[in-house]
Amino acid sequence: MTKTVLVTGAKGQLGCELTKVFTQHSEFNFIPTDIDTLDLTNKKEVIHFVKKHKIDYIINCAAYTAVDKAEEEIDLCYLINRDAVKNIVEAAAARGKAKIIHISTNYVFDGVKNTPYIETDITNPQSVYGKSKLEGENTLMKNCPESIIIRTSWLYSIYGYNFVKKILRLIKEKSEINVVCDQIGTPTFAPDLANTILVLITFLKKTKNFHSGIFHYSNEGIVSWFDFAKKILQLSETKNCKIRPITTEQYPIRAKRPFYSALNKKKIKKAFDIVIPNWEVSLKKCINLLTNKS
């Protein structure tokens, strides 16, 4: 039986990749939406949409992700990252059978650990963005515990605005750039996460066993922003730019970032029997796509 999958935030990086993945699988009726087709802050509209289209799965990729700007636009950040989640929950309840997969962030942690965060580690977000995403998580788990939350980190793809595309642009324009070396984590190639979400939903559809709860997903390996940038430079084969390491203190930003935010992926690998690519392998794929290499 064909299942109907709704994706919110479909014009974002992950949303674009999910669209590519799901439209290749006829066993799903795929409905991509964004702010122009579905306003998640309008509860009545969301409930009507989910009931009208008989949605079975809601993948919520919509989020306010401007981390520094969120320190000023606090109300808007919470409206999208917390209140809209409540509207999705109520729409799923009104539909009666819709399951929710919600995308969250490593920024719910404070970054004081020195080993990869597991799902049960204490959260302590340090920014408005992180706090709003945690409240979105709590809203979902409190009101609809039969849901899945996927925390991810350092997302990039060929779409939208991200670190990889920014570095590729800067190394062409400048002879020298500075990148922070004291923030440690793991990049996530959006197509890898999109394919994992397809695996999750296919697994749930076949087994009818919905593994609710929180899961962590990023590519394998651990790296600093500085070493990530150096690898981008190397793979781009650009020769006329140097990347210099600086500390976070030398790069003033409004929102505080976690110094260490690598994620432990054992839980999701075991639950769904998936293999996660190393970040360097996936980065090479992305740069090949962006630079039109075969």
Side-chain angles (χ1 to χ4, degrees), residues 74-182:
I74 298 173
D75 290 343
L76 179 60
C77 183
Y78 275 91
L79 180 66
I80 297 170
N81 291 348
R82 178 193 61 196
D83 300 343
V85 175
K86 182 68 181 300
N87 293 340
I88 291 171
V89 167
E90 295 197 23
R95 163 72 173 134
K97 56 187 288 188
K99 299 293 187 181
I100 301 171
I101 298 176
H102 175 70
I103 308 302
S104 191
T105 175
N106 59 327
Y107 278 37
V108 299
F109 298 113
D110 55 21
V112 300
K113 278 189 73 175
N114 56 13
T115 57
Y117 280 93
I118 62 174
E119 289 80 357
T120 53
D121 277 331
I122 295 172
T123 53
N124 185 27
Q126 300 295 296
S127 64
V128 169
Y129 166 71
K131 291 174 183 176
S132 69
K133 290 296 289 182
L134 180 59
E135 290 207 20
E137 286 188 13
N138 292 338
T139 295
L140 181 56
M141 286 291 104
K142 179 182 177 181
N143 296 285
C144 188
E146 292 295 314
S147 300
I148 289 176
I149 292 171
I150 302 176
R151 292 178 181 145
T152 191
S153 62
W154 298 15
L155 193 71
Y156 70 95
S157 72
I158 64 172
Y159 301 106
Y161 177 81
N162 57 65
F163 184 78
V164 173
K165 292 173 74 173
K166 178 182 178 180
I167 294 298
L168 286 173
R169 174 177 59 81
L170 289 176
I171 61 179
K172 288 181 180 179
E173 297 174 352
K174 299 179 181 293
S175 61
E176 181 178 311
I177 62 173
N178 299 324
V179 180
V180 294
C181 62
D182 56 356

Side-chain angles (χ1 to χ4, degrees), residues 1-288:
M1 182 178 179
T2 301
K3 296 291 186 179
T4 301
V5 178
L6 166 66
V7 168
T8 66
K11 292 182 179 179
Q13 294 187 79
L14 181 56
C16 286
E17 297 296 348
L18 283 166
T19 298
K20 286 165 63 174
V21 166
F22 275 94
T23 50
Q24 295 173 3
H25 292 266
S26 59
E27 67 268 32
F28 296 104
N29 175 30
F30 181 74
I31 304 178
T33 64
D34 213 283
I35 184 63
D36 55 345
T37 49
L38 179 61
D39 180 3
L40 296 176
T41 66
N42 185 323
K43 181 170 70 174
K44 288 184 178 180
E45 182 180 340
V46 179
I47 291 173
H48 174 73
F49 191 97
V50 170
K51 291 176 70 175
K52 176 184 176 183
H53 293 280
K54 299 179 179 178
I55 302 299
D56 295 297
Y57 298 103
I58 303 170
I59 307 173
N60 183 34
C61 303
Y64 183 109
T65 57
V67 178
D68 291 312
K69 201 172 181 181
E71 299 295 314
E72 298 176 357
E73 297 185 338
I74 298 173
D75 290 343
L76 179 60
C77 183
Y78 275 91
L79 180 66
I80 297 170
N81 291 348
R82 178 193 61 196
D83 300 343
V85 175
K86 182 68 181 300
N87 293 340
I88 291 171
V89 167
E90 295 197 23
R95 163 72 173 134
K97 56 187 288 188
K99 299 293 187 181
I100 301 171
I101 298 176
H102 175 70
I103 308 302
S104 191
T105 175
N106 59 327
Y107 278 37
V108 299
F109 298 113
D110 55 21
V112 300
K113 278 189 73 175
N114 56 13
T115 57
Y117 280 93
I118 62 174
E119 289 80 357
T120 53
D121 277 331
I122 295 172
T123 53
N124 185 27
Q126 300 295 296
S127 64
V128 169
Y129 166 71
K131 291 174 183 176
S132 69
K133 290 296 289 182
L134 180 59
E135 290 207 20
E137 286 188 13
N138 292 338
T139 295
L140 181 56
M141 286 291 104
K142 179 182 177 181
N143 296 285
C144 188
E146 292 295 314
S147 300
I148 289 176
I149 292 171
I150 302 176
R151 292 178 181 145
T152 191
S153 62
W154 298 15
L155 193 71
Y156 70 95
S157 72
I158 64 172
Y159 301 106
Y161 177 81
N162 57 65
F163 184 78
V164 173
K165 292 173 74 173
K166 178 182 178 180
I167 294 298
L168 286 173
R169 174 177 59 81
L170 289 176
I171 61 179
K172 288 181 180 179
E173 297 174 352
K174 299 179 181 293
S175 61
E176 181 178 311
I177 62 173
N178 299 324
V179 180
V180 294
C181 62
D182 56 356
Q183 293 179 30
I184 310 297
T186 309
T188 305
F189 188 33
D192 293 337
L193 178 52
N195 280 305
T196 294
I197 291 172
L198 173 65
V199 169
L200 263 64
I201 290 186
T202 302
F203 178 89
L204 303 171
K205 180 173 177 283
K206 287 181 178 178
T207 65
K208 300 186 179 355
N209 182 14
F210 196 79
H211 282 283
S212 58
I214 299 173
F215 296 88
H216 288 172
Y217 185 93
S218 67
N219 285 115
E220 296 284 23
I222 298 172
V223 68
S224 70
W225 285 115
F226 168 69
D227 288 320
F228 188 23
K230 284 206 305 180
K231 192 65 179 180
I232 295 168
L233 176 67
Q234 176 191 334
L235 292 172
S236 72
E237 300 179 356
T238 301
K239 306 296 184 183
N240 59 347
C241 182
K242 292 183 178 180
I243 301 178
R244 300 195 180 277
I246 60 171
T247 65
T248 299
E249 287 185 352
Q250 294 173 288
Y251 188 75
I253 47 179
R254 291 193 189 98
K256 185 177 180 181
R257 269 76 166 172
F259 282 104
Y260 186 96
S261 61
L263 301 173
N264 184 308
K265 282 84 65 173
K266 287 183 180 178
K267 182 180 177 182
I268 197 168
K269 288 191 290 186
K270 182 178 180 181
F272 299 101
D273 192 26
I274 60 171
V275 176
I276 301 177
N278 182 273
W279 72 267
E280 294 185 57
V281 173
S282 293
L283 176 62
K284 185 175 181 179
K285 288 181 181 179
C286 184
I287 289 180
N288 285 346

